[in-house]
Amino acid sequence: MIGKKTRELMEIPETDFIIPADNVATVLYNHPLEHALLVLSKVGYNQIPVLDSDDRLVGLISLANIVNRMMGLTGFDEKLIENLTVADVMEVNVPCVADNDLEDILHLLVNRSFLPRVDEQGVFCGIITRKEILKAVNHLVHRLEKEYILLAKAPMKNHA
Amino acid sequence: MIGKKTRELMEIPETDFIIPADNVATVLYNHPLEHALLVLSKVGYNQIPVLDSDDRLVGLISLANIVNRMMGLTGFDEKLIENLTVADVMEVNVPCVADNDLEDILHLLVNRSFLPRVDEQGVFCGIITRKEILKAVNHLVHRLEKEYILLAKAPMKNHA
């Protein structure tokens, strides 16, 4: 449980940290892999969401996923991916969140640089990034002892 | 200023969040770019530090930096990088920290996924990652109102 004052000090934005889908680069699972390579090398993100034709989240794809497939025995070869689609290489079963539970979000972001947010039908709504969370953490740690006196609660009874 | 109790609640590890240089994949600035490509595609990190022969930090290199250089007019071509070194493509003037000021670290990590840590000679000592910081944030937000009563300080005099 994250307390009410802790949340207030984090100055959680009205958007609940979500960068909306319209502002996030994505690819379709049936796109040629070369297209994903082009998008990923240009957008400046390591990894982007993969959607189906109904905008449902089906996976994530990274530059490393594609580059590894292009690595042949004698070096690097674009021909190795020329008949592949995004679905052949994407990471599936990726963690995502379907609500704004800050506790879950903070736990999952320890191991992922962003979290996709989906609705109850699995439709991709946007992403929650470490960047937005770290802005809130900066608010929290700077304001906490400036605005509050922290009074230790009585310790729990010791049954030893 | 980050308060003493805030720091305690973050359970700052003895390592001060630093992953030591020995455990971090790096490349030398004069390495062939193909070598960096191989390292980056295997290590699972988007970006790694670039060192000189005295172990001083001179830049960072990412998979996207290299892939962009391989993008020719007619597609992707490994030949385009065959005479290049890491120094030709790396990002220079990257933010890094020379002490363990948590305030600086938290600010800088809003925009970078990790921060190189150097000593006073610029020698690379390791990295501080968002992952390690987010672990500490989880400790903080979970423990804060469980262990302390937050008592609002008297508001500052209003000069309006």
Side-chain angles (χ1 to χ4, degrees):
Chain A
M1 249 297 285
I2 300 175
K4 193 164 162 272
K5 283 176 183 153
T6 308
R7 286 170 189 274
E8 279 167 15
L9 285 165
M10 290 179 87
E11 301 176 20
I12 298 174
E14 272 180 47
T15 55
D16 266 323
F17 303 115
I18 298 167
I19 297 171
D22 285 349
N23 299 344
V24 180
T26 57
V27 284
L28 285 174
Y29 76 102
N30 55 359
H31 274 167
L33 203 47
E34 281 139 319
H35 172 72
L37 175 63
L38 198 65
V39 173
L40 275 161
S41 66
K42 294 304 170 197
V43 291
Y45 297 105
N46 187 30
Q47 201 176 39
I48 55 175
V50 181
L51 309 183
D52 70 12
S53 48
D54 295 318
D55 286 338
R56 280 183 300 238
L57 180 81
V58 292
L60 294 177
I61 191 160
S62 73
L63 213 43
N65 293 149
I66 305 175
V67 168
N68 274 320
R69 277 297 184 100
M70 293 168 79
M71 207 68 83
L73 291 174
T74 57
F76 218 73
D77 193 351
E78 197 183 2
K79 286 200 189 70
L80 291 171
I81 65 161
E82 69 187 5
N83 295 313
L84 298 181
T85 64
V86 170
D88 294 318
V89 169
M90 68 185 185
E91 181 189 351
V92 292
N93 301 322
V94 294
C96 61
V97 286
D99 56 33
N100 300 332
D101 187 311
L102 186 56
E103 201 147 359
D104 286 350
I105 291 167
L106 278 170
H107 267 132
L108 291 168
L109 282 178
V110 169
N111 290 313
R112 317 284 312 192
S113 58
F114 68 89
L115 284 175
R117 170 79 156 83
V118 295
D119 71 10
E120 54 283 6
Q121 272 79 46
V123 171
F124 177 65
C125 310
I127 57 172
I128 300 164
T129 63
R130 282 174 165 173
K131 182 190 176 103
E132 296 306 310
I133 295 290
L134 282 164
K135 284 186 199 167
V137 169
N138 272 286
H139 292 307
L140 170 64
V141 298
H142 290 287
R143 290 181 52 192
L144 181 57
E145 291 182 66
K146 211 162 128 189
E147 299 180 21
Y148 289 93
I149 295 162
L150 270 61
L151 216 62
K153 292 184 181 178
M156 303 285 277
K157 222 173 198 163
N158 191 345
H159 295 279
Chain B
M1 249 298 284
I2 299 174
K4 193 164 163 271
K5 285 177 182 153
T6 308
R7 287 171 189 274
E8 279 167 16
L9 286 165
M10 290 179 87
E11 300 175 23
I12 299 174
E14 271 180 49
T15 55
D16 267 323
F17 304 115
I18 297 168
I19 296 171
D22 284 349
N23 299 344
V24 180
T26 57
V27 285
L28 286 174
Y29 76 103
N30 55 359
H31 273 167
L33 204 46
E34 281 139 321
H35 173 72
L37 176 62
L38 200 65
V39 174
L40 275 161
S41 66
K42 294 303 171 199
V43 291
Y45 297 106
N46 187 30
Q47 202 175 37
I48 55 176
V50 181
L51 308 184
D52 69 11
S53 48
D54 294 318
D55 286 338
R56 280 183 301 238
L57 180 80
V58 290
L60 294 177
I61 190 160
S62 72
L63 213 43
N65 293 148
I66 305 175
V67 168
N68 275 319
R69 276 298 182 102
M70 293 169 80
M71 206 68 82
L73 291 174
T74 56
F76 218 73
D77 192 352
E78 197 183 2
K79 287 200 190 71
L80 291 170
I81 65 162
E82 69 187 5
N83 295 314
L84 298 181
T85 64
V86 170
D88 294 318
V89 168
M90 67 185 185
E91 181 189 353
V92 293
N93 300 322
V94 294
C96 63
V97 287
D99 57 31
N100 299 333
D101 186 310
L102 186 55
E103 200 147 358
D104 286 351
I105 291 167
L106 279 171
H107 267 131
L108 291 167
L109 282 178
V110 169
N111 290 313
R112 318 283 312 189
S113 57
F114 68 88
L115 284 174
R117 171 78 156 82
V118 295
D119 71 10
E120 52 284 6
Q121 273 79 47
V123 171
F124 177 66
C125 309
I127 57 172
I128 300 166
T129 63
R130 282 174 166 173
K131 182 190 176 102
E132 296 307 309
I133 295 290
L134 283 164
K135 284 185 197 166
V137 169
N138 273 285
H139 293 306
L140 170 64
V141 298
H142 291 287
R143 292 180 51 192
L144 181 56
E145 291 181 65
K146 211 163 130 187
E147 299 180 21
Y148 289 94
I149 294 162
L150 271 61
L151 216 61
K153 291 185 182 177
M156 303 286 277
K157 223 173 196 160
N158 190 347
H159 294 280

